[in-house]
């Protein structure tokens, strides 16, 4: 199993899919891979921007279709939702571009934008611009951080089997602890009910 070979063959596709789902971590890793020469830096930015833009576009359409009913369920947050909607309508460029830089707002932000009825013709170009800015920033950070991470990545490939065995051992210990605690609780309940 050669990790470098896997990155070279599936790296761009993994970046697109990963940036749809998660984002920053995948983008940083894409920058590191570009620093290592495994991927081309401009294509890393393009792949990450495509994934980020696609994910937000889907969430925007979900917000348009189901957002109002979804947001009604958050009864304690209605003041914040109303304030966010006003901001979206007053400064859509600021909110649409900025939402991907707000931690914890990555998923709910585009849904909220869709629910606010911001027209798709305004959202789409702002979404593309925001995705390009975001992809460029985090890929560049990963590329710059590659200097620090590069020595560690070379040793990962050599020690991957040891890491798998270590993870397996930790999982077995955790499972054994869980089973023992559950068994002790069960025995305790039987002792109390038997009295």
């Amino acid at each position: 199993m050669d990790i470098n070979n896997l990155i070279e063959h599936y790296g761009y596709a993994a970046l697109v899919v990963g940036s749809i789902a998660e984002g920053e971590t995948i983008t940083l890793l894409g920058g590191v891979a570009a620093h290592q020469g495994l991927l081309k830096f401009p294509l890393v930015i393009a792949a990450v921007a495509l994934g980020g833009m696609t994910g937000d576009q889907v969430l925007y359409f979900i917000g348009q279709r189901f957002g109002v009913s979804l947001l009604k369920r958050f009864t304690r947050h209605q003041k914040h939702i109303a304030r966010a909607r006003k901001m979206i309508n007053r400064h859509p460029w600021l909110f649409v571009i900025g939402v991907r830089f707000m931690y914890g707002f990555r998923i709910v932000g585009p849904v909220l934008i869709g629910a606010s009825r911001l027209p798709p013709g305004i959202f789409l170009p702002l979404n593309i611009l925001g995705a390009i800015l975001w992809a460029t920033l985090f890929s560049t950070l990963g590329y710059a951080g590659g200097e620090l991470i590069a020595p560690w990545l070379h040793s990962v490939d050599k020690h991957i089997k040891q890491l798998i065995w270590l993870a397996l051992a930790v999982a077995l210990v955790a499972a054994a602890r869980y089973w023992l605690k559950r068994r002790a609780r069960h025995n305790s309940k039987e002792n109390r009910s038997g009295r």
Side-chain angles (χ1 to χ4, degrees), residues 7-8 12 31-41 143:
I7 293 170
E8 288 173 3
Y12 300 113
V32 171
H35 180 270
Q36 295 297 302
L38 300 172
L39 301 174
K40 290 180 175 33
F41 186 68
Y143 191 88

Side-chain angles (χ1 to χ4, degrees), residues 132-149:
I132 291 169
L133 291 172
W134 173 79
T136 302
L137 174 70
F138 282 97
S139 296
T140 302
L141 288 172
Y143 191 88
E147 232 11 83
L148 302 169
I149 299 170

Side-chain angles (χ1 to χ4, degrees), residues 15 40 100 120 189 194:
L15 287 174
K40 290 180 175 33
R100 70 180 74 248
K189 283 181 185 177

